[in-house]
Amino acid sequence: MNDTGVVAGPASGRTSRTHRYRGLAGTGFIATLAAMMATTLAAALAQAVGVDFEVPDGGETIPLSGFAVVTGFFSVVGIVIALALLRWSDHPDKRFVWTAVSLTAISLVPPLLSGANTATTTALLGLHLVPATVMIPTLARSLRTRTD
């Protein structure tokens, strides 16, 4: 007997959507690890050349692990934003870039207001841009390929 009928499988729209979200999340988490490593390495290099990362409010010095933790947290926030835009936006890649660049610009304000010395302020500004240069293009590219 030759059966050439159509076989029903899982709802392809649901499977495809789940695959898109998982793919974006996976790419995002790999980029998060890369951003954490790059930021921590850049902070270590800044310390090696004499940046003390001492913030006058309380006189605390920012530890290297602090850079990794904060980078990881805000990178995950970026992934959540990207996933939400993938779900609810007609042009998630463009909306993500606009949102992420705006949030990155806003993140540059606290180092300027911290009262730290010039070397620390300059290093902190640069360290805000390191994970942005890893996360924003990676997630935008991933959003673009997931919606085409």
Side-chain angles (χ1 to χ4, degrees):
M1 187 166 176
N2 187 3
D3 187 9
T4 59
V6 176
V7 177
S12 62
R14 181 181 177 108
T15 303
S16 175
R17 187 179 314 154
T18 302
H19 180 71
R20 289 186 336 198
Y21 294 137
R22 284 185 183 163
L24 177 61
T27 299
F29 284 117
I30 291 168
T32 295
L33 293 175
M36 290 169 66
M37 290 187 329
T39 304
T40 305
L41 177 61
L45 290 172
Q47 274 188 339
V49 297
V51 178
D52 60 12
F53 292 116
E54 185 176 316
V55 180
D57 188 22
E60 298 278 328
T61 298
I62 302 169
L64 287 178
S65 61
F67 292 105
V69 169
V70 170
T71 299
F73 175 78
F74 284 106
S75 294
V76 169
V77 169
I79 295 168
V80 171
I81 291 169
L83 288 167
L85 290 170
L86 181 61
R87 170 68 176 97
W88 289 298
S89 177
D90 290 336
H91 302 284
D93 55 332
K94 294 175 186 172
R95 301 273 187 238
F96 176 77
V97 169
W98 186 88
T99 302
V101 169
S102 298
L103 291 172
T104 300
I106 291 167
S107 80
L108 298 176
V109 173
L112 294 171
L113 301 177
S114 70
N117 64 40
T118 303
T120 298
T121 300
T122 303
L124 289 172
L125 290 171
L127 290 173
H128 277 79
L129 300 177
V130 170
T133 59
V134 173
M135 295 302 295
I136 295 171
T138 302
L139 291 174
R141 190 176 319 110
S142 187
L143 283 167
R144 212 173 359 262
T145 60
R146 305 225 182 275
T147 56
D148 289 342

